[in-house]
Amino acid sequence: MKNKLLTGLSLFLSAVIIVLSLRFGVAPYESPALADATQSQSERLTSLPVESTQKEKTGEESTTAAKKEEPTTRVKIDKSIRKLNKKQRTAKFKGIIISGDSIVNSMLEYKIIGKSRVVAGVGAGTLFLRDSTEKIVKANPKYLILHYGENELDKKDNAVNFIKRYTSCIKALKKALPKTEIYVDSIFPVDEAAYGNEDEPYLKNIPYYNKLLKQMAKDTGVHYIDYTPIWNGYKKNYYDEDGIHPLASYYKEQYLPFIYELVHNSNKK
């Protein structure tokens, strides 16, 4: 009986010590009598994924930090272009032809600029450019902007075929238009939401394709425009719901004012 009372008293005092230690932050003394009773609870607590959750959180924070550290570029734009209507903008872009895929064709759909300044098509690629060479040559532009690649994104091993076709088109255009300044756009970066699109599995290869485009421009002696740091510098969202195509405001506020400044004002003598 006496032993039972002592054991009960010991358990009571140990419980009081634990409560006080938790209250005042003092490391508790664990009596042998409580060891077995607290072991199962301790095992349950240490089985919680605290460490893995912390790692995942740290990883997410690191990714976010890395995105914030991506290089950005502030570019000159001709803000006067923003104030123009379609007719005025079309007249202002005399001598400039922009050829490309749906990214370029959107300017016609949004009625931002006239057809005489654009040679583009939905789903267009380098085969479209090859077939449009005669039309471009006939227009005899002083400046030619080429925007192709989105519709030909593929496995990295197949990128060389795209570059070969694009190179062939550029050489043909340079031969037919020796006085024309040719600019090759990089493939625009996409919004994070677009990477979840199962219909666009090769968006992840955009940086690789752009690297090849840059080298192609160098090899063919044309200008290359890297839009990735430019897009990273925008504080305003210019992506449509699909995270790939730009909104109408992008062309009015950024793309055309930038192109005009780049090829027209920068080339003034």
Side-chain angles (χ1 to χ4, degrees), residues 4-103:
K4 290 183 179 180
L5 289 173
L6 290 174
T7 301
L9 180 61
S10 176
L11 290 171
F12 174 77
L13 290 174
S14 297
V16 171
I17 290 172
I18 290 174
V19 171
L20 291 175
S21 66
L22 292 174
R23 175 63 179 84
F24 296 101
V26 179
Y29 163 77
E30 182 180 72
S31 70
L34 282 179
D36 293 335
T38 58
Q39 183 176 2
S40 60
Q41 181 179 4
S42 177
E43 289 174 349
R44 287 196 300 272
L45 290 173
T46 55
S47 68
L48 293 175
V50 176
E51 185 177 354
S52 63
T53 302
Q54 183 63 37
K55 286 182 179 179
E56 291 173 3
K57 183 177 181 181
T58 302
E60 291 172 358
E61 290 173 350
S62 298
T63 302
T64 303
K67 288 174 182 175
K68 290 181 179 179
E69 292 173 1
E70 287 179 346
T72 60
T73 299
R74 289 186 178 183
V75 297
K76 287 185 178 182
I77 63 173
D78 190 324
K79 293 184 179 181
S80 66
I81 303 300
R82 293 177 171 178
K83 303 175 182 179
L84 305 180
N85 57 36
K86 176 184 174 182
K87 185 177 180 179
Q88 294 169 329
R89 202 176 289 116
T90 302
K92 197 77 170 176
F93 273 72
K94 182 180 180 180
I96 301 175
I97 291 292
I98 307 175
S99 179
D101 48 35
S102 57
I103 298 291

Side-chain angles (χ1 to χ4, degrees), residues 19 36 42 106 152 184 204 230 233:
V19 171
D36 293 335
S42 177
S106 291
E152 293 181 76
V184 171
K204 61 184 179 182
I230 297 175

Side-chain angles (χ1 to χ4, degrees), residues 54-264:
Q54 183 63 37
K55 286 182 179 179
E56 291 173 3
K57 183 177 181 181
T58 302
E60 291 172 358
E61 290 173 350
S62 298
T63 302
T64 303
K67 288 174 182 175
K68 290 181 179 179
E69 292 173 1
E70 287 179 346
T72 60
T73 299
R74 289 186 178 183
V75 297
K76 287 185 178 182
I77 63 173
D78 190 324
K79 293 184 179 181
S80 66
I81 303 300
R82 293 177 171 178
K83 303 175 182 179
L84 305 180
N85 57 36
K86 176 184 174 182
K87 185 177 180 179
Q88 294 169 329
R89 202 176 289 116
T90 302
K92 197 77 170 176
F93 273 72
K94 182 180 180 180
I96 301 175
I97 291 292
I98 307 175
S99 179
D101 48 35
S102 57
I103 298 291
V104 176
N105 194 71
S106 291
M107 291 190 288
L108 299 180
E109 296 179 351
Y110 288 132
K111 299 181 180 180
I112 293 172
I113 198 168
K115 294 181 179 180
S116 60
R117 304 293 179 256
V118 174
V119 178
V122 176
T126 48
L127 294 180
F128 173 88
L129 176 59
R130 181 197 65 186
D131 295 340
S132 301
T133 297
E134 184 178 348
K135 183 177 182 179
I136 294 173
V137 171
K138 187 177 180 180
N140 191 27
K142 188 174 182 179
Y143 306 106
L144 173 62
I145 315 298
L146 300 176
H147 187 100
Y148 291 93
E150 277 89 351
N151 296 314
E152 293 181 76
L153 286 172
D154 202 341
K155 297 178 181 178
K156 290 183 178 181
D157 292 342
N158 295 331
V160 64
N161 298 320
F162 160 65
I163 294 298
K164 285 180 179 179
R165 293 191 297 270
Y166 209 165
T167 298
S168 178
C169 291
I170 291 175
K171 287 182 176 179
L173 287 165
K174 287 192 68 177
K175 184 177 180 179
L177 298 168
K179 295 183 178 180
T180 299
E181 291 286 337
I182 300 177
Y183 294 78
V184 171
D185 281 357
S186 69
I187 299 174
F188 288 171
V190 299
D191 189 45
E192 290 182 10
Y195 289 107
N197 188 343
E198 295 180 356
D199 296 329
E200 301 287 351
Y202 300 115
L203 293 176
K204 61 184 179 182
N205 291 338
I206 289 177
Y208 179 75
Y209 270 66
N210 281 340
K211 183 179 179 180
L212 298 182
L213 285 173
K214 184 177 182 178
Q215 185 61 48
M216 180 198 71
K218 181 179 179 180
D219 293 341
T220 55
V222 300
H223 306 281
Y224 175 75
I225 308 175
D226 186 5
Y227 282 93
T228 300
I230 297 175
W231 271 87
N232 287 340
Y234 297 146
K235 295 181 180 180
K236 179 179 178 179
N237 173 53
Y238 285 112
Y239 288 111
D240 204 343
E241 292 181 357
D242 63 2
I244 299 175
H245 294 84
L247 296 167
S249 57
Y250 168 71
Y251 301 101
K252 295 177 181 179
E253 299 174 7
Q254 300 295 344
Y255 187 68
L256 291 180
F258 167 68
I259 290 296
Y260 191 84
E261 174 68 31
L262 179 69
V263 306
H264 187 77

